Amino acid sequence: MTQPVRTAVFPAGGLGTRFLPATKVVPKEMLALVDKPIIQYGVEECLASGIEHIIFVTGRGKSAMEDHFDFSPELDATLERRGKKELLDVSRRVATMARISYVRQKEPLGLGHAVLCAKQLVGNEPFAVVLPDDVIEAPRPCIAQMIDVFSQHGGSVLATMTIEGPAISAYGVLAGSADSANPRLYNCTGMVEKPKLADAPSKQAIIGRYILTPRVFELLETTKPGAGGEIQLTDGILALLQHEKVYGYTFEGKRYDAGDKFGMLQATVEFALNRPEFADKFRAYLKSLPL
Ligand code: G1P
């Protein structure tokens, strides 16, 4: 029997340089996809997967995130006075949807270091990691799919996608082989962060969802800076592989890189087309464009 996965860590200390100038003052996690900040999609995915406690690893200039998931007394009082019951419910629901803890990453030392900052809050149990830039639309929430795999197999589970060509160099890449019994599972034997195309051990790229065993914390404590001079989560998980099984898992669903301008445009169009209140109007608008 595996322990339940109750906690999710959201590394959210990054500077968001790929989205300048929008992210000069506004945290990238707060950029709106249709009408919700991208981090809220990750939080809702976790809640729909049975996660009970969310840990945001934040940094300087990220206080808008804390305010977003808190009550807003002035706004709520105004909405109440104006009789805007539905909007009041929307505002209050965000403040009460999740039990959230915050920890600061005081220096931008890398994703592995960000996850390590959550060690005390997570404790000695398996946990999820959600990179909020990666927004995933799925028939069953991606984290829930991964918890299923974890409870069947144990070991750590990394979400993966096949990436063709030089774009692979933006990812952590797995070495290993597909599982003979389950084509969605990949038995890892190694992994490398942001390899050159020629050095990539496979086309299996790590996407921003992980289920990790707590042993990764002690390994991250001794992980040396790697790609880009940063303490990489991929290198910590590579060290974990010396002790425990690690699986890649091709999740069911579609991932959008909402931390990237083009990825955000794609997500905006597709999420808008999925929203019943303006899908028809938006489709008609797109069709009317002289493309
Ligand atoms: C991070 C991870 C990388 C992973 C990617 C997925 O990279 O380090 O292994 O493939 O997220 O989005 P980043 O995008 O922060 O450079």
Side-chain angles (χ1 to χ4, degrees):
M1 265 285 280
T2 54
Q3 277 179 284
V5 181
R6 303 186 302 169
T7 306
V9 176
F10 281 56
L15 292 175
T17 51
R18 289 189 295 160
F19 227 118
L20 282 169
T23 47
K24 198 173 166 199
V25 176
V26 176
K28 66 172 172 171
E29 296 80 7
M30 289 303 295
L31 296 176
L33 170 52
V34 185
D35 56 359
K36 275 191 278 194
I38 60 174
I39 197 161
Q40 193 176 328
Y41 289 89
V43 170
E44 289 177 355
E45 176 187 329
C46 285
L47 298 176
S49 305
I51 295 287
E52 297 164 9
H53 180 204
I54 300 222
I55 300 167
F56 286 166
V57 183
T58 68
R60 262 190 304 282
K62 298 280 184 166
S63 56
M65 269 170 21
E66 299 185 33
D67 290 342
H68 180 71
F69 290 98
D70 194 0
F71 288 113
S72 178
E74 300 85 355
L75 173 68
D76 292 357
T78 305
L79 293 173
E80 194 149 30
R81 210 172 43 246
R82 293 184 184 162
K84 305 267 187 204
K85 171 89 177 66
E86 275 178 28
L87 291 178
L88 181 62
D89 289 348
V90 168
S91 166
R92 288 203 173 135
R93 197 180 78 82
V94 182
T96 52
M97 61 170 41
R99 182 160 81 83
I100 303 180
S101 303
Y102 299 88
V103 60
R104 294 275 279 225
Q105 183 186 21
K106 292 183 184 163
E107 292 170 281
L109 297 180
L111 181 60
H113 176 255
V115 170
L116 183 56
C117 291
K119 179 182 173 189
Q120 269 74 29
L121 285 169
V122 172
N124 191 27
E125 53 181 70
F127 63 102
V129 174
V130 172
L131 307 189
D133 285 6
D134 284 337
V135 176
I136 297 179
E137 176 87 317
R140 175 163 166 73
C142 184
I143 287 290
Q145 296 178 44
M146 294 173 71
I147 291 175
D148 291 346
V149 174
F150 174 74
S151 37
Q152 280 164 21
H153 298 269
S156 292
V157 185
L158 320 181
T160 61
M161 241 173 87
T162 302
I163 299 284
E164 302 286 346
I168 196 84
S169 301
Y171 298 89
V173 183
L174 303 184
S177 56
D179 191 87
S180 52
N182 180 349
R184 291 195 174 275
L185 270 196
Y186 194 84
N187 294 297
C188 289
T189 54
M191 63 195 67
V192 47
E193 180 68 13
K194 298 190 174 60
K196 292 199 186 93
L197 176 59
D199 301 332
S202 74
K203 295 178 179 178
Q204 295 299 305
I206 304 171
I207 297 306
R209 300 288 185 278
Y210 309 72
I211 305 293
L212 300 175
T213 58
R215 190 171 203 163
V216 77
F217 289 126
E218 68 195 61
L219 298 164
L220 282 169
E221 270 164 357
T222 52
T223 298
K224 300 265 177 304
E230 298 191 336
I231 298 171
Q232 294 291 350
L233 182 58
T234 303
D235 293 339
I237 303 171
L238 177 63
L240 188 62
L241 196 50
Q242 307 307 313
H243 304 273
E244 297 173 8
K245 285 221 62 154
V246 177
Y247 298 96
Y249 171 68
T250 307
F251 59 94
E252 246 184 289
K254 186 164 180 186
R255 170 258 191 172
Y256 300 85
D257 182 2
D260 168 77
K261 292 176 190 179
F262 189 71
M264 179 66 117
L265 288 171
Q266 289 173 307
T268 302
V269 170
E270 294 188 37
F271 276 63
L273 287 171
N274 277 336
R275 288 283 290 263
E277 68 270 42
F278 36 66
D280 290 346
K281 198 172 163 189
F282 191 56
R283 184 170 289 103
Y285 164 69
L286 290 177
K287 282 190 172 158
S288 77
L289 293 175
L291 298 175

